[in-house]
Every structure is written in C-alpha cells, then in structure tokens.
Amino acid sequence: MLVLGIESSCDETAAAVVRDGREMLSSVISSQIDIHKEWGGVVPELASREHLIKIDPIVEEALEKANVSLQDIDAIAVTQGPGLVGSLLVGVCYAKALAFGLDVPIIGVNHIEGHFFSVEFDNLPTEYPAMALIVSGGHTNLFYAPEKGKYKIVSRTRDDAAGEAFDKVSKMLGLGYPGGPIIEKYAKEGNPKAIKFPIAKISDGRPDFSFSGLKTAVMRYLRENEVEPVKEGREPSQHIKDICASFQYTVVLALTRTMEKQAKEYNPKTLIVAGGVACNQALREASEKIGERLNLPVYFPSKHLSTDNAAMIAAAGNFHLERGERSDLDITADVTMRLQNIELEDADLRKKKVRYRL
Ligand code: KG4
Ligand code: ZN
C-alpha cells in the first residue's frame, strides 16, 4: 500500500511517500526555523501562513522524489493533532481535498503516535511491549505500549517540555533558536559537573517530569553570577559552555533516570527514544547505557526522522489503515488530541505493587 503522509502540526511542512509502512520512497521537510528564529520561538500566525504557501509544492516534491504520481497513491495519512490549530488545519484541509478528489481513504493520525513509528524505518520490526520516551519541543511523555496501537502514559511533564527548556535556556544565554542543537554543540566543550542544577521532585510522588524549575535555577544562576548573554556572532566563554554542559547533563539525567525506573517496573522488550530532543547525543548515549544495564534493545530514529516529518505519519497511518480504520471526510484539526490512554490491569503490567495511578 502506498501512503502519502502529510504533517503540518507546528513549524515544519512535510510530505512523504511510504510503501507498506516501512519503505520510505521520499520524505521532504520544509522547516520554518529562519522565519521564527527572529522571534525566539514559533509564531502561530506566521506558521500557518507559511504552511499554506509550502504545502502544495512540498507534496509535489515528495511525489516527484518517490517517482510516483498522485494516481498511484492508495491512501492519505495526515496529522490531525495535537498541535497549533492554524497549522494543523492547513494539512487537514489539504489532505481532505486530495482524498476527496482522488477518491482514496484518509486517516487522521495522532502526531505523538507518529513519533512512535519514526523508528520503524531504521530498525528491526519493533518488538512489543515497548516503552517510549517521546521528547520534543512540544511534548515530553513516557509511554508503555503493550502492543502496537495501545498506549498508556506512565510519566509526563507537569510543565515545560524538555525541548522547550533547551530553547528557553538557549535564549537566556543569547545563543539563539532552536536551542537544542546549539546547547549540545557548546556542551561538548564544557564540564557537565561544573554546576549542580536541581532535578525537580514531584510533591505527590508521581514519577513525572518537570523542567520549569530547572529553567528558573539557570536563570537565578545567571543573575547571581552576573553572567551576560553571548553577543551575536561571538564565541561563548568557557563559563557559558560549562552552563550548557551542566544544564544538558541535568535534563538527560532527569529523563533517563525516570525511564530506567519505569522500564524496571514495566519490563518492556524494547526502549524507544524519539522526538526532536532524541537528536541529542548525550541522551542517546545515556539511553544506550540503560539498554545495556537492562539488556534491552534501544531504538532511535535517524536524525532526519527524529524531528517532525511526514514519513512517520504515513507509517502510523499505514498501521491503522491495514486494520481497516478510516477517518470520515469531515475530520478536523484536534488541537489537544490524546493518544488512546488505555486502562490496563496493573497486575498484568507490573512486577511490583502499584503505588500510584495516572
Ligand atoms: O520534534 P520537534 O521537531 O518538534 C516538536 O514537536 O516540538 O522537536 C523540536 C525540539 C526543539 O525544542 C529543539 O530545541 C529540540 O527539539 N532539539 C534538541 C536537539 N535537536 C532538536 N534538543 C536537544 N538536543 C538536540 N540536539
Ligand atoms: Zn513532534
């Protein structure tokens, strides 16, 4: 089955052609970073306008690169949510019109489920039960999936997403947007143990994440130590590089500590780390170490598939289409779309006694 995937939930306009959910014939991404970096973050109105301009040429390019025509497409998979409403609407309306015109099925895909499927291209068929850390600028959740298509959130962020923390700290340091890759670059030249930043403990004892306190701790550190933001075009000082390294070390530790604890509890067969922050080498290395300690394979998407893309949406769509699922032509953007959060018998899932419920 040849699926055309379309993604426009945030600031990437993307289209891809995928055969049978695993063979990527093309994947084209148009990033809006240059438009938004001037503002230090995504401006929703600018994002939707840009999607509108880019969507048609990007789909054309994806078809051309895959060497197929619209008539060869068997179905369309489009990101339905979560995301920015204006951005989502561009993709959803475009996909609906195309599906109607071509008389092919359409399936609305949850963007987060797409990230789950981003590992399918570069790895062996993923064994389930799986545990997945989906970590990007918009979301930071740890899922347990007893089988493909069934998901339970076991840890979530209470405030900022991890990628958002990278972006905000980068802004404070005068390093630009998006923060993740820039902080990672300077962290490599800094000492991760130079400054001890705190890892938030959730007062109700749930194994959730929280990054807003860390962001405030960095802000306070900068003020108390009179650290000036880096001037544009200047090389950061060693002190700034140490701050980058110490901040990154703390984020990675907060993420992987919880992932390891939950993996011991839920006993999955595979660990998945996906989403924009999964590009981060320190996070990859720390996750690999968990895999070694627990004797589990750890799957990452290639870097191209870590950030938002349409191939993962086509792959997730293919899975649902194969199960006979279809969306109606009246689907619309679902800004807060949730992944089916199944209620499972805890006794089936856990080796240990249940201490909390989500
Ligand atoms: O998945 P994505 O493209 O979009 C969202 O759905 O948010 O992720 C973008 C986020 C940004 O916050 C960016 O700073 C972060 O991923 N990111 C990184 C790295 N590359 C991108 N964070 C840490 N290290 C990186 N190398
Ligand atoms: Zn994403």
Side-chain angles (χ1 to χ4, degrees):
M1 179 165 44
L2 217 52
V3 177
L4 171 67
I6 294 176
E7 153 68 36
S8 70
S9 63
C10 189
D11 61 341
E12 269 99 14
T13 321
V17 179
V18 173
R19 181 177 283 135
D20 299 331
R22 285 186 68 87
E23 195 189 339
M24 188 164 55
L25 302 189
S26 66
S27 175
V28 183
I29 304 171
S30 165
S31 166
Q32 303 178 357
I33 284 177
D34 286 344
I35 295 172
H36 301 293
K37 78 175 172 206
E38 173 176 352
W39 310 95
V42 178
V43 183
E45 179 63 23
L46 297 180
S48 29
R49 284 172 192 272
E50 187 65 12
H51 283 307
L52 212 48
I53 296 168
K54 287 285 160 62
I55 189 126
D56 198 45
I58 291 296
V59 168
E60 291 270 343
E61 194 180 331
L63 292 168
E64 206 171 294
K65 286 206 165 132
N67 207 11
V68 299
S69 74
L70 268 181
Q71 279 63 38
D72 299 320
I73 297 297
D74 297 307
I76 295 172
V78 61
T79 304
Q80 192 180 353
L84 302 169
V85 67
S87 293
L88 287 166
L89 274 172
V90 175
V92 171
C93 293
Y94 184 92
K96 285 202 294 190
L98 210 52
F100 180 69
L102 296 173
D103 193 22
V104 295
I106 180 170
I107 183 93
V109 172
N110 184 304
H111 179 86
I112 315 275
E113 186 174 36
H115 279 298
F116 254 87
F117 280 79
S118 65
V119 298
E120 298 280 319
F121 299 97
D122 302 301
N123 297 291
L124 299 165
T126 318
E127 265 206 281
Y128 281 71
M131 179 159 274
L133 179 67
I134 311 285
V135 64
S136 73
H139 14 261
T140 297
N141 293 319
L142 186 65
F143 292 94
Y144 175 76
E147 59 187 76
K148 241 182 217 180
K150 283 195 173 171
Y151 311 99
K152 180 185 173 78
I153 290 187
V154 296
S155 301
R156 71 184 89 211
T157 180
R158 293 295 187 90
D159 38 60
D160 295 352
E164 197 180 348
F166 270 96
D167 294 338
K168 287 179 178 166
V169 166
S170 177
K171 196 173 177 184
M172 281 181 227
L173 295 172
L175 294 176
Y177 174 84
I182 309 171
I183 291 198
E184 174 169 26
K185 178 175 161 215
Y186 293 122
K188 286 195 178 121
E189 297 163 32
N191 174 7
K193 302 276 172 70
I195 304 144
K196 197 163 170 16
F197 290 124
I199 295 184
K201 274 215 177 78
I202 310 293
S203 58
D204 59 18
R206 288 182 183 175
D208 283 346
F209 307 111
S210 163
F211 294 104
S212 118
L214 172 58
K215 180 189 65 191
T216 312
V218 175
M219 199 190 292
R220 199 177 316 121
Y221 181 88
L222 297 182
R223 206 172 40 226
E224 284 168 6
N225 293 277
E226 294 174 9
V227 182
E228 289 295 322
V230 182
K231 297 220 167 56
E232 212 181 323
R234 292 273 184 83
E235 176 73 6
S237 63
Q238 190 56 44
H239 193 184
I240 296 268
K241 290 176 183 172
D242 287 345
I243 295 170
C244 289
S246 304
F247 163 76
Q248 176 179 280
Y249 173 82
T250 313
V251 174
V252 169
L253 189 61
L255 291 169
T256 51
R257 206 191 249 178
T258 300
M259 180 161 70
E260 181 158 14
K261 189 164 165 269
Q262 295 286 40
K264 282 182 185 159
E265 196 125 335
Y266 281 86
N267 213 11
K269 285 193 175 144
T270 312
L271 288 178
I272 295 170
V273 182
V277 183
C279 291
N280 188 284
Q281 203 53 37
L283 177 61
R284 287 188 177 219
E285 282 164 17
S287 307
E288 296 272 17
K289 288 210 179 102
I290 297 178
E292 281 164 25
R293 282 196 289 272
L294 304 185
N295 200 17
L296 288 173
V298 190
Y299 290 160
F300 308 96
S302 65
K303 294 216 168 163
H304 170 84
L305 292 166
S306 293
T307 48
D308 290 346
N309 66 86
M312 67 182 194
I313 303 302
N318 188 88
F319 167 74
H320 288 288
L321 289 160
E322 273 183 353
R323 298 207 304 186
E325 295 166 32
R326 305 277 183 273
S327 297
D328 291 328
L329 271 179
D330 64 357
I331 57 161
T332 189
D334 184 350
V335 176
T336 55
M337 191 175 186
R338 302 216 170 263
L339 253 195
Q340 175 203 15
N341 196 12
I342 44 161
E343 276 306 320
L344 293 166
E345 279 303 313
D346 286 302
D348 292 344
L349 295 175
R350 305 226 172 147
K351 290 195 294 182
K352 286 189 198 158
K353 225 172 146 262
V354 181
R355 288 195 303 269
Y356 58 85
R357 275 191 175 276
L358 289 169

